[in-house]
Amino acid sequence: MLPTIAWQDDNIVMVDQRKLPASEIYVTCKTVNDVAKAIKTMVIRGAPAIGVCAAMGIALGAARSKATGTKQFTTEFQRSCDLLAATRPTAVNLFWAIERMKRSFSDGALAGESVEQLRARLRTEADRIHDEDVASCRSIGAHGATLVPADANILTHCNAGALATAGYGTALGVIRGAVQAGRKVRVIADETRPFLQGARLTAWELLKDGIDTTVITDSMAGSIMLSGDVDLVVVGADRIAANGDTANKIGTYSLAVLAKEHGIPFYVAAPWSTIDLATPNGASIPIEERNAREVSHVGNNQLAPAGAHIRNPSFDVTPHKYITAIITERGIFKAPFTETLGASSISDV
Ligand code: MRU
């Protein structure tokens, strides 16, 4: 499996996803500031991977802290949490992971643990979050595989793969699960303008696994659906509101509308950490607006003339009415999502 993020000599190492597939370069983060920068600049991206990375970043900050007393250590811990929370606004996994680290910290503090014990507990919690993410993805894959026909053309958008998680992937986890279950699968990967996660990352990691992959430009999806060459669509998610409305990479909404028009099932695959029951619907999900240069340029080549206004919302919201089912490690959820997702969350309290 691909090494998305790992500890190495007490630093955090991650593959630089901005450089793939042309070069496989690894970035070493030695401080929590390095980690925040890596998330902000998309060295690492994908909602679950961002959450795992933030948890590891908090543990790294604690490990590097020179504080000897709990007061100073607590101030620095809080600063790490605030710094990481300010990196990317849409992926709820980021805030979920920070909350988990805060809960663990306050459990330790309430029990009167020393700075050394608190450091150790934060590292343990971060490692747990990492390992649970891989386990969730594998379970999503096993559940999702049951929805894939014996011979299937599957369209996906962006990269919701091993690179976007601690390993295995969510949407690509469903594809891997289907392949492992013996289905014959061909993947159609949207290139995913402007950052090209589909063309660069999804195609790269699927080909490494020997999975048949065709890259298309985003604008080709409708015509390929019309020709009957898509059996199902599966995408990841950055945040799923209580009613099932789903924020994911810009372009997902258009695909969902097209899928409905052509009678093609549209699935969202995500770990439970992506479900945000505190957000009632898609209108309340914050959408990140990224740098205009991602749209006006490809690499160093300028496409749009200087002076043109540029929009770059990085995500869109797919209303729940377009979603056939949400695949999580807890199982497959169908409408009415407010009830089905809500009922499953009762075990959380
Ligand atoms: O901007 P990105 O690359 O972080 O956006 C990623 C996506 O939109 C993914 O589909 C989503 O985070 C799910 S990843 C399992």
Side-chain angles (χ1 to χ4, degrees), residues 17 39 42 44-50 88 91 93 137 156-165 169-172 192 195 197 201 235-239 247-250 252 269-271 274 288 290 294 314-315:
Q17 300 194 27
I39 296 175
M42 312 265 280
I44 188 164
R45 30 65 51 200
I50 292 170
R88 297 197 68 190
N93 310 61
C137 288
T156 189
H157 190 65
C158 193
N159 172 267
L163 288 166
T165 59
T170 57
L172 299 195
T192 318
F195 209 68
Q197 292 95 328
L201 308 177
V235 296
D238 278 76
R239 192 185 292 233
N248 191 48
K249 182 52 55 192
I250 191 77
T252 302
T274 306
E288 177 181 10
R290 290 188 62 84
E294 288 179 1
S314 196
F315 302 94

Side-chain angles (χ1 to χ4, degrees), residues 74-157:
T74 305
T75 305
E76 289 179 19
F77 169 78
Q78 190 56 53
R79 186 196 154 266
S80 294
C81 294
D82 293 348
L83 178 74
L84 289 159
T87 51
R88 297 197 68 190
T90 306
V92 76
N93 310 61
L94 171 66
F95 307 99
W96 171 89
I98 293 171
E99 272 317 304
R100 247 185 84 164
M101 295 300 280
K102 282 184 178 173
R103 247 188 342 263
S104 175
F105 186 93
S106 69
D107 286 351
L110 279 174
E113 289 181 2
S114 66
V115 165
E116 218 34 67
Q117 286 170 316
L118 288 169
R119 263 194 198 107
R121 123 186 320 273
L122 290 172
R123 172 66 185 260
T124 303
E125 187 68 356
D127 290 347
R128 220 178 260 147
I129 289 172
H130 177 285
D131 295 350
E132 283 174 15
D133 189 60
V134 181
S136 294
C137 288
R138 288 194 174 274
S139 176
I140 289 167
H143 288 298
T146 64
L147 300 168
V148 177
D151 192 312
N153 291 325
I154 304 179
L155 192 145
T156 189
H157 190 65

Side-chain angles (χ1 to χ4, degrees), residues 148-155 174-180 182-188 206 210-213 231-232:
V148 177
D151 192 312
N153 291 325
I154 304 179
L155 192 145
V174 170
I175 289 164
R176 290 191 165 99
V179 170
Q180 274 169 348
R183 315 285 201 280
K184 193 163 188 290
V185 168
R186 288 163 302 279
V187 177
I188 301 169
L206 288 178
I211 297 173
D212 184 306
T213 306
D231 297 301
L232 63 100

